[in-house]
Amino acid sequence: MLAAGLLVSLMAACGGGGGGSGKLTLGFAQVGAESGWRTANTKSIQESAEQAGINLKFSDAQQKQENQIKAIRSYIQQKVDVIAFSPVVESGWDTVLKEAKDAKIPVVLTDRAIDSADTSLYVSFLGSDFVEEGRRAADWLVKDSQGKSGPINIVQLEGTTGSAPAIDRKKGFEEVVSKDPKFKIVASQTGDFTRAKGKEVMQAFLKAQPKIDVLFAHNDDMALGAIQAIEEAGKKPGVDIKIISIDGVKDAFQAMKDGKINVVVECNPLLGPQLMDIVKKVTKGEQVPKRIQTQEGVFTQDQAAAALPNRKY
Ligand code: GYE
């Protein structure tokens, strides 16, 4: 009886659902749940918000820009303290970000950038250098192909059309391989960053292309889907077709350990702690850098087994 009474009075004291608690509210508009990278990114944001005592409003746009715009508008209406989002595509954000600016709500771009000329529409960008990731992927191939005569036929599985990582990884990779005419990109198509699409497009590549030496996948999930297609076609992934991927999720490390992926360029999804830091700073009126870049590495098969137990995503 006593315990029950205490519980009721405690609940009464906490009434109001956290409103007026003085907690900061962050509205986060996520791209979707398309990849292992994205799942790790979402988890990092949710856990870090909790740890930082920040009230998080979270929405999943299912990879559709119109859903993200709706979510951002609803955060503006709810008068959240800060809006953060990972833009599904690069362009088409000016109108809604202008609305946020007029409402004096700071916006933080997380993971993916936008191509707007008006940089006053956001306070900070937090994420990776995708062009550099593309270059690193190609650098590995250049080294691995030393002394080999061409043509070396490459197929490319691109990320979501119009997204910053798809545009930039393609740019960085092609910038490097185009310097040597022995490299030929014989097919390049989007697999939308998913396993299912990666498999489907790789199946089509295998049917259409008489000789494929290398697959460059813009993310691990597409590479993992493509591995299934390659095996079903009776070929050995990592041997008959060399595979280069980006992200570094555990499943890709396992595939490297198994000899099926040759190299992974790391892209860190654990952006939550840095994001919460930025949220706290901007709401205090402190200056934050316009661009905050994450530190990342490149992993090859011989490093995969040792690195796997320590992977955090
Ligand atoms: O590489 C991919 C995800 O924007 C960096 O999005 C991110 C990319 C990541 O779907 O797996």
Side-chain angles (χ1 to χ4, degrees):
M1 275 296 284
L2 238 171
L6 192 66
L7 192 68
V8 169
S9 57
L10 263 176
M11 280 167 66
C14 299
S21 62
K23 261 191 173 187
L24 290 176
T25 299
L26 166 67
F28 190 88
Q30 183 60 292
V31 173
E34 73 283 4
S35 63
W37 190 100
R38 189 64 54 196
T39 309
N41 179 246
T42 292
K43 200 167 159 242
S44 168
I45 288 160
Q46 288 170 335
E47 286 176 0
S48 320
E50 170 113 47
Q51 270 161 25
I54 290 171
N55 175 30
L56 176 69
K57 293 184 187 289
F58 184 89
S59 62
D60 173 335
Q62 298 183 319
Q63 287 193 280
K64 291 202 181 75
Q65 182 172 32
E66 71 245 42
N67 292 344
Q68 273 193 316
I69 292 175
K70 265 190 220 149
I72 294 169
R73 289 217 164 102
S74 98
Y75 295 148
I76 297 171
Q77 252 170 19
Q78 294 171 61
K79 298 188 167 59
V80 299
D81 297 296
V82 179
I83 293 172
F85 78 116
S86 177
V88 59
V89 289
E90 274 190 346
S91 54
W93 298 103
D94 284 39
T95 309
V96 69
L97 294 189
K98 184 89 198 339
E99 290 166 22
K101 194 182 168 188
D102 291 344
K104 299 197 166 48
I105 301 176
V107 171
V108 182
L109 301 177
T110 311
D111 147 45
R112 295 183 182 179
I114 58 171
D115 68 1
S116 175
D118 184 357
T119 56
S120 77
L121 295 176
Y122 57 92
V123 290
S124 187
F125 163 83
L126 165 67
S128 307
D129 182 341
F130 301 136
V131 179
E132 184 54 29
E133 289 172 351
R135 286 191 199 113
R136 287 179 182 166
D139 286 343
W140 178 86
L141 180 61
V142 169
K143 261 203 206 130
D144 186 67
S145 310
Q146 253 163 21
K148 285 185 200 161
S149 58
I152 293 173
N153 289 347
I154 304 165
V155 294
Q156 178 170 230
L157 279 170
E158 299 175 22
T160 303
T161 306
S163 70
I167 294 167
D168 292 351
R169 286 170 182 170
K170 182 174 158 76
K171 190 172 156 203
F173 184 82
E174 292 182 358
E175 174 195 302
V176 174
V177 295
S178 66
K179 287 184 190 144
D180 187 336
K182 80 176 171 190
F183 296 114
K184 297 233 170 346
I185 299 178
V186 292
S188 189
Q189 218 176 291
T190 182
D192 216 9
F193 281 132
T194 68
R195 275 189 205 211
K197 264 294 201 98
K199 180 175 181 186
E200 192 185 306
V201 177
M202 191 67 203
Q203 279 170 336
F205 284 166
L206 286 161
K207 273 196 196 124
Q209 298 299 327
K211 178 179 172 273
I212 300 172
D213 302 302
V214 178
L215 162 66
F216 170 43
H218 286 187
N219 83 339
D220 290 342
D221 285 76
M222 293 190 293
L224 293 162
I227 286 173
Q228 289 177 24
I230 294 168
E231 287 177 334
E232 284 170 17
K235 293 200 158 98
K236 273 192 140 190
V239 180
D240 298 329
I241 298 176
K242 297 267 169 87
I243 303 183
I244 306 167
S245 175
I246 300 184
D247 276 355
V249 299
K250 274 187 190 147
D251 286 355
F253 268 80
Q254 185 61 50
M256 263 204 292
K257 193 178 161 194
D258 298 341
K260 296 179 181 184
I261 291 180
N262 300 80
V263 63
V264 167
V265 176
E266 188 181 36
C267 180
N268 187 0
L270 308 179
L271 303 176
Q274 279 168 293
L275 176 60
M276 299 314 144
D277 219 47
I278 299 173
V279 168
K280 284 185 178 165
K281 283 191 174 138
V282 294
T283 47
K284 276 192 222 146
E286 285 175 31
Q287 276 284 313
V288 291
K290 198 80 193 185
R291 194 184 162 88
I292 301 171
Q293 212 166 291
T294 40
Q295 298 294 317
E296 289 139 348
V298 176
F299 293 86
T300 47
Q301 280 180 350
D302 50 321
Q303 299 162 316
L308 188 55
N310 303 320
R311 297 301 294 170
K312 297 209 164 53
Y313 54 94

